[in-house]
Amino acid sequence: MTDGERTERQQVRGPEQEEQEQEKQGRLREQRSGDRPEGHHEPPSSSSSTADGRGRLLPVPDLSLVVLVGATGSGKSTFAARHFKPTEVISSDFCRGLVSDDENDQSVSGDAFEVLHFIVGKRLAAGRLTVVDATNVQAEARAQLVRLAREHDVLPVAIVLDVPEQVCAERNAARADRAGLPRRVIQRHQRELRRSIRHLEREGFRKVHILRGQREVDAAGIVRERRYNDLRHLAGPFDVVGDVHGCRSELESLLGRLGYEMRRDATGRAVDAVHPEGRTAVFVGDLVDRGPDSPGVLRLVMGMVAAGHALCVSGNHENKLGRYLNGRKVQHTHGLAETIEQLEKEDDAFRAGAAEFIRGLVSHYVLDGGGLVVCHAGLPEKYHGRTSGRVRSFALYGDTTGETDEFGLPVRYPWAEDYRGRAAVVYGHTPIPRAGWLNNTLCLDTGCVFGGRMTALRWPERELVDVPAERVWYEPARPLATEAPGGADGRPLDLNDVAGRRTVETRHMGRLAVREENSAAALEVMSRFAIDPRLLPYLPPTMAPCATSKEEAQGEGFLEHPAEAFAEYRAAGVREVVCEEKHMGSRAVVLVCRDEAVAGERFGAPGKGVSGAVYTRTGRPFFDDEAISERILRRVGACVAEAGLWAELDTDWLLLDAELMPWSLKATGLLREQYAAVGAASGAVFPGAIGALEAAQARGVDVSALLERQRGRVADAAAFTAAYRRYCWRVGATADAAGPEGAAGGVGLGVPAGIRLAPFQILAAQGRSLAGLPHTEQLALIDRLIAAEEILVARDGDGDRTAAGDGAAASDGGAAGGAAETGDGVQGERARLLAPTRRLIVDTEDEASVAAGVAWWLDLTADGGEGMVVKPVQALVRQADGRLVQPGIKCRGREYLRIIYGPEYTRPENLQRLRIRHLGHKRSLALREYALGLEALDRLAAGEPLWRVHEAVFAVLALESEPVDPRL
């Protein structure tokens, strides 16, 4: 911390200053708007304020520690019961009873007060007004309570009941449990009370109310004051503006972009800005210093605040300027000298008004039902709505690690990385090149005065609006690329980033929660089985199934049918959808770099010979043999180059979402243990059963019904075996004698024959997420890759090479149930890697187009094809109410579903039972994972650090641990 900053912090240590400034700001706000917070009254003077014309009103902050002070018998318990809720009052007598079953057992007073202090501390931590009902006539007892209040950043309030000794004695005598109380005890309490009254404020009590005599006590009333930083009743909408630093012209431009209409005085100076829709601007402080026109900024903001069109919190630069204007000695550094020079050109009235305005600024505001906190340098949740010098210091300066960087500036403690609060905290103070959400916090200081931008947040829309600086007005002490807490400064991955219950802020779906048990499951997978996290920037989401169908056609029942998918999108207002062929393989993400150097420099790829990664939807390497992955990457990279996409997309890397076939390539164990076992068992059992039934029928036994049923089961089992065999074939090693590097000067043709990669989306490129491209454009780019491979293969003379003769061991298929060498791994075909994705555009509001889409799906699935995925042509589509539309709905074929639900699922009795499906959780999961995937892509494209990208990636994997029917 610099000496200047340390000195400035020392100016905000006292809790009195914060409360006084809050009171002043509250009065200014009420004068300009006439909007008194509910239940609020001005603090009364002790002589004139009355309750119903009879007694005094005692103002008590709605979050405070109220300490009743008075001799035994002075009526403290009666007073507390009359003015406070029973749960708000903590009595020393009650705590004695808790400890010893006797409220008058003085021998346990030490333990009783430990209990009292513990309960008081818990209530204050929870933000509850608390009243301590004890004699509290001793300074030591009060000191412990004042410390408790300060520990929890609330104001201590003393209410003194100064009742005559005789009254106290009579009351004690009337109580059976205190009839024998010695008179000297009351006299001692009275003496201690007299000595204490004059020193209560000096002890740290912010408010002291003294009620003299029984009549005053009986006539007094309590009024609860809303804290002046508590504006929860104001719901906006708001426009929160980042640090201005004297850049008046840019501020006017930004307000104009936000829709505000400028009001000017006779000389043309901006003195107010009004939004036609009634929006309120909220300034995060640092209006002054460094820029060209600090007085102009003050004039505009002061006018907006006075007119009720804006709110403003204090920044550290206002704090320092205010001390200067009040005649205090301060160092004229960090731009203050320029502001002083500019203010000298203004008249005395303006300078006095500026000083008054700055004195009235509070440290932070809690807005919109507690959902939004605005401050200057950030604020942890435990300080929200609290009032103390410590809170004000943090709000103005943040916190530091105690170290300084290479520029001699303090290293900020990254409080935002640890923030998990419900309220969104919007702040400034530390300039960053771009604004971005981190754990529900947002820094809006984008360095306008240093040549960056001036940024505002629309709330509750969470939309960022900015304007560029007109020039560099002030040279920064360190480059603007340095990030604020939680920004893009690189650091290693940390277990604390993912352990426990997490919440991830997403641009497209708000805050998403991850349960602790799901985080633990994801950590197991990620730490033991996943690829190098530097090469794992994205995980694909699960896909929502279409609504359950009751369609019956030609005696066949359907569990899923595209009519439901088309109807769902039509109801969501999506007219144009694209139906994409669903390949039966395993989901694969492909990170392909132009070369090894790019993979190493951009992604930190370990070792030589690595130009990217091919991994599964759970982050595991797709191939045990890294050489196969590298051959696939080289082939894909060559296709990207041939298609001209490196240059067109201005990138050295691409991230692809794809399906890698055959299914048997990754699902060998599943095929052997689950599917092939069913086929083998049916082949072993049914022939004997059918033979026995046929022999019985030949002997005249009536088993025709049973025989017919068993023959049907044979047919179902055969259909089941045919269904999964369709997606299995042998994969052989390449016949390319050149080895892994491919033919000289060629395209890396060393891809094992039979492997097919069907990319269907380019997710991201350097500096850009491509997830928002329409799917028609995405598929057009994929078509160019496939066409490029045709050119490359023809050019390298590989057209005659086939899977036959490769001589490599089978990966799975024959052993898994007799898979034939057919389909995409066919003999006699060229050794291609990339497979096309067939598609059809459907107009959901055109019956003929919908019928064509259904017919296309029936053709795809007639021979056992998996089905199709229906997607809105436009990406990132929202419904009228702002909710995301499902990005894709899978509609699987009737025969393919035998693999999922069993050979006999199509029988009417089974189908009727299976149609009772609970899809809500699965569909919610699909949307949440989609939003997290988009967030990971946005962070990746923005160049954010690995831990920020992995926060969203890890959350996708964690959500996969949520219990959901795996058949959906």
Side-chain angles (χ1 to χ4, degrees):
M1 186 186 308
T2 63
D3 292 339
E5 190 172 48
R6 183 177 295 107
T7 301
E8 291 175 20
R9 281 179 180 269
Q10 293 170 354
Q11 304 297 326
V12 295
R13 290 296 182 189
E16 294 83 0
Q17 179 184 5
E18 169 73 350
E19 178 65 10
Q20 289 168 354
E21 293 184 356
Q22 290 192 5
E23 289 180 2
K24 181 63 179 177
Q25 177 69 359
R27 288 193 290 273
L28 290 173
R29 186 178 67 250
E30 292 170 8
Q31 290 169 4
R32 68 172 183 261
S33 65
D35 179 17
R36 285 182 184 270
E38 180 182 352
H40 171 77
H41 296 267
E42 282 297 304
S45 67
S46 60
S47 59
S48 61
S49 298
T50 62
D52 298 329
R54 296 182 294 104
R56 292 171 49 194
L57 286 175
L58 310 182
V60 172
D62 59 358
L63 175 55
S64 58
L65 176 60
V66 179
V67 178
L68 300 181
V69 184
T72 177
S74 60
K76 298 181 299 299
S77 298
T78 302
F79 183 88
R82 183 188 308 145
H83 298 292
F84 300 98
K85 300 176 185 177
T87 53
E88 293 176 330
V89 181
I90 311 299
S91 163
S92 59
D93 290 344
F94 174 74
C95 291
R96 285 191 191 93
L98 288 178
V99 173
S100 70
D101 295 328
D102 182 358
E103 292 188 353
N104 294 296
D105 185 356
Q106 298 296 320
S107 67
V108 298
S109 289
D111 291 339
F113 275 95
E114 284 187 22
V115 172
L116 182 145
H117 293 152
F118 178 80
I119 297 173
V120 168
K122 290 298 183 180
R123 284 188 57 85
L124 296 180
R128 305 293 183 186
L129 182 143
T130 304
V131 180
V132 176
D133 177 12
T135 57
N136 295 314
V137 293
Q138 296 178 329
E140 295 82 359
R142 295 190 300 271
Q144 294 183 63
L145 295 173
V146 170
R147 280 196 296 272
L148 261 178
R150 287 179 173 169
E151 285 174 10
H152 295 91
D153 302 289
V154 302
L155 297 177
V157 177
I159 300 180
V160 180
L161 277 63
D162 188 5
V163 177
E165 176 187 329
Q166 185 60 33
V167 174
C168 296
E170 291 173 357
R171 287 176 176 167
N172 282 310
R175 292 177 54 178
D177 59 341
R178 293 191 182 179
L181 183 72
R183 185 71 172 253
R184 68 177 181 274
V185 174
I186 302 173
Q187 293 171 343
R188 175 166 52 83
H189 286 178
Q190 292 282 7
R191 288 194 303 271
E192 291 174 331
L193 179 65
R194 295 282 184 275
R195 287 196 296 266
S196 299
I197 287 179
R198 292 177 298 170
H199 307 298
L200 291 176
E201 289 189 0
R202 195 180 309 165
E203 290 177 8
F205 288 97
R206 179 63 186 90
K207 294 178 183 290
V208 177
H209 305 298
I210 302 175
L211 301 174
R212 302 185 186 278
Q214 191 58 42
R215 182 176 298 178
E216 258 191 51
V217 172
D218 293 341
I222 298 291
V223 59
R224 303 194 185 203
E225 293 181 321
R226 187 190 295 274
R227 287 153 287 154
Y228 289 111
N229 57 29
D230 181 6
L231 300 185
R232 287 176 294 177
H233 59 291
L234 300 182
F238 301 108
D239 297 305
V240 188
V241 180
D243 297 37
V244 180
H245 281 299
C247 299
R248 176 195 52 77
S249 179
E250 288 90 340
L251 175 58
E252 291 185 20
S253 298
L254 179 60
L255 291 173
R257 281 205 62 189
L258 292 167
Y260 288 78
E261 298 172 356
M262 209 63 57
R263 293 180 178 175
R264 303 183 183 275
D265 62 13
T267 62
R269 298 178 301 187
V271 295
D272 193 7
V274 184
H275 200 286
E277 298 175 6
R279 299 178 70 92
T280 301
V282 186
F283 294 90
V284 303
D286 275 8
L287 305 173
V288 300
D289 294 348
R290 295 177 173 150
D293 192 3
S294 290
V297 173
L298 283 171
R299 182 177 291 106
L300 173 55
V301 175
M302 288 162 56
M304 294 178 70
V305 171
H309 302 143
L311 299 167
C312 184
V313 299
S314 179
N316 59 298
H317 283 264
E318 280 78 45
N319 183 59
K320 189 174 183 181
L321 176 61
R323 297 203 315 277
Y324 166 79
L325 293 174
N326 290 327
R328 304 282 294 277
K329 184 178 180 181
V330 297
Q331 296 180 354
H332 297 187
T333 55
H334 304 298
L336 179 60
E338 289 79 359
T339 300
I340 294 173
E341 181 181 352
Q342 294 163 13
L343 283 171
E344 288 175 352
K345 301 175 184 177
E346 303 291 334
D347 57 30
D348 292 341
F350 179 83
R351 288 193 292 271
E356 184 75 6
F357 171 75
I358 291 172
R359 275 196 297 273
L361 296 178
V362 301
S363 65
H364 70 286
Y365 281 125
V366 182
L367 302 159
D368 196 11
L372 174 64
V373 171
V374 177
C375 51
H376 179 61
L379 206 62
E381 186 177 31
K382 65 180 180 179
Y383 292 157
H384 295 179
R386 304 299 174 116
T387 304
S388 71
R390 174 169 54 188
V391 172
R392 185 174 179 84
S393 177
F394 199 110
L396 265 62
Y397 296 95
D399 200 1
T400 64
T401 64
E403 303 169 307
T404 56
D405 61 17
E406 66 270 29
F407 305 100
L409 297 175
V411 176
R412 306 292 176 188
Y413 178 76
W415 68 273
E417 292 185 14
D418 302 326
Y419 182 77
R420 297 295 182 270
R422 181 184 71 86
V425 180
V426 182
Y427 64 104
H429 188 52
T430 304
I432 57 176
R434 56 187 173 274
W437 287 98
L438 171 62
N439 295 335
N440 211 23
T441 74
L442 178 67
C443 179
L444 287 179
D445 184 1
T446 46
C448 180
V449 75
F450 301 127
R453 308 183 74 83
M454 189 178 296
T455 303
L457 168 73
R458 295 185 193 268
W459 180 273
E461 300 88 343
R462 290 183 176 242
E463 175 187 349
L464 293 172
V465 178
D466 59 29
V467 297
E470 295 180 359
R471 49 166 287 190
V472 176
W473 298 105
Y474 196 91
E475 289 294 338
R478 61 183 166 197
L480 191 59
T482 301
E483 289 280 0
D489 290 335
R491 65 164 175 76
L493 295 180
D494 192 321
L495 177 63
N496 293 325
D497 294 335
V498 294
R501 186 181 187 278
R502 317 298 297 174
T503 55
V504 181
E505 183 73 33
T506 66
R507 294 161 176 82
H508 297 279
M509 210 173 174
R511 303 181 72 201
L512 296 176
V514 178
R515 290 195 287 263
E516 182 174 3
E517 58 269 27
N518 296 338
S519 293
L523 184 61
E524 174 79 6
V525 174
M526 191 72 77
S527 60
R528 294 185 60 191
F529 307 113
I531 65 171
D532 189 313
R534 293 172 293 181
L535 297 173
L536 183 60
Y538 172 82
L539 286 178
T542 190
M543 187 165 292
C546 68
T548 304
S549 173
K550 292 182 172 55
E551 185 80 19
E552 300 286 344
Q554 298 178 352
E556 293 182 342
F558 292 89
L559 191 59
E560 295 182 4
H561 194 274
E564 275 71 30
F566 297 143
E568 178 176 336
Y569 280 126
R570 181 170 59 250
V574 179
R575 178 164 185 169
E576 196 173 39
V577 297
V578 58
C579 303
E580 297 182 9
E581 172 189 12
K582 195 172 192 307
H583 300 277
M584 183 50 188
S586 301
R587 193 77 170 265
V589 179
V590 179
L591 173 63
V592 57
C593 300
R594 187 192 291 265
D595 51 40
E596 297 173 13
V598 173
E601 293 172 6
R602 173 59 183 86
F603 295 97
K608 292 185 177 181
V610 178
S611 60
V614 182
Y615 56 90
T616 70
R617 66 183 310 270
T618 58
R620 305 169 191 238
F622 204 98
F623 299 99
D624 295 331
D625 186 350
E626 294 182 0
I628 297 179
S629 294
E630 194 57 32
R631 292 168 186 168
I632 289 175
L633 291 170
R634 289 176 183 276
R635 173 72 68 88
V636 174
C639 294
V640 173
E642 181 66 27
L645 294 184
W646 292 132
E648 183 176 322
L649 298 177
D650 191 21
T651 184
D652 288 328
W653 58 268
L654 287 175
L655 190 66
L656 305 173
D657 203 354
E659 200 80 7
L660 215 159
M661 299 168 284
W663 184 36
S664 52
L665 190 62
K666 201 62 182 172
T668 304
L670 184 68
L671 284 163
R672 290 180 184 277
E673 297 170 12
Q674 184 168 325
Y675 300 113
V678 173
S682 64
V685 172
F686 282 128
I690 295 296
L693 289 171
E694 288 176 343
Q697 188 179 50
R699 293 194 302 269
V701 180
D702 185 10
V703 293
S704 57
L706 181 58
L707 179 59
E708 184 63 26
R709 181 184 176 193
Q710 294 306 310
R711 285 172 175 166
R713 295 185 69 191
V714 171
D716 289 339
F720 172 82
T721 303
Y724 77 77
R725 279 184 172 178
R726 179 175 303 279
Y727 308 115
C728 308
W729 57 83
R730 293 181 182 273
V731 173
T734 177
D736 184 357
E741 299 301 323
V747 297
L749 299 178
V751 177
I755 293 180
R756 304 303 301 273
L757 180 72
F760 51 84
Q761 188 172 15
I762 302 180
L763 297 165
Q766 178 67 41
R768 181 183 176 193
S769 169
L770 299 175
L773 280 182
H775 288 288
T776 48
E777 295 183 26
Q778 286 278 1
L779 291 171
L781 292 173
I782 300 302
D783 289 344
R784 288 171 57 184
L785 292 179
I786 294 169
E789 187 183 36
E790 291 282 344
I791 296 172
L792 291 171
V793 172
R795 182 187 304 159
D796 280 18
D798 194 51
D800 294 329
R801 290 181 177 156
T802 68
D806 282 349
S811 68
D812 65 304
E821 294 181 20
T822 58
D824 285 330
V826 297
Q827 291 180 320
E829 287 195 3
R830 293 179 176 181
R832 298 287 183 266
L833 172 65
L834 301 183
T837 296
R838 291 176 286 177
R839 81 294 305 252
L840 178 73
I841 303 296
V842 170
D843 183 343
T844 61
E845 296 183 7
D846 184 329
E847 291 185 7
S849 182
V850 168
V854 172
W856 190 72
W857 176 79
L858 289 171
D859 289 342
L860 280 176
T861 60
D863 296 326
E866 181 175 354
M868 69 184 184
V869 179
V870 184
K871 304 176 181 179
V873 169
Q874 300 298 322
L876 310 180
V877 178
R878 294 185 179 273
Q879 301 184 49
D881 60 4
R883 291 181 300 167
L884 276 174
V885 170
Q886 285 286 355
I889 297 175
K890 61 184 178 183
C891 185
R892 296 168 290 184
R894 186 173 184 270
E895 289 305 311
Y896 166 77
L897 286 175
R898 288 189 192 276
I899 304 173
I900 306 301
Y901 288 99
E904 300 174 15
Y905 95 99
T906 57
R907 293 175 177 268
E909 64 274 16
N910 292 335
L911 198 59
Q912 182 177 3
R913 174 176 53 82
L914 292 172
R915 279 172 170 163
I916 304 173
R917 304 196 299 174
H918 303 284
L919 303 179
H921 190 182
K922 177 73 170 183
R923 295 169 70 82
S924 167
L925 192 63
L927 272 179
R928 286 180 284 147
E929 291 185 9
Y930 175 59
L932 288 165
L934 292 174
E935 184 65 24
L937 294 175
D938 287 338
R939 295 180 182 184
L940 174 68
E944 296 197 34
L946 180 63
W947 74 267
R948 284 274 290 153
V949 176
H950 255 259
E951 181 183 44
V953 172
F954 188 91
V956 173
L957 186 59
L959 291 187
E960 280 293 300
S961 300
E962 289 192 2
V964 66
D965 186 346
R967 301 172 299 178
L968 296 178

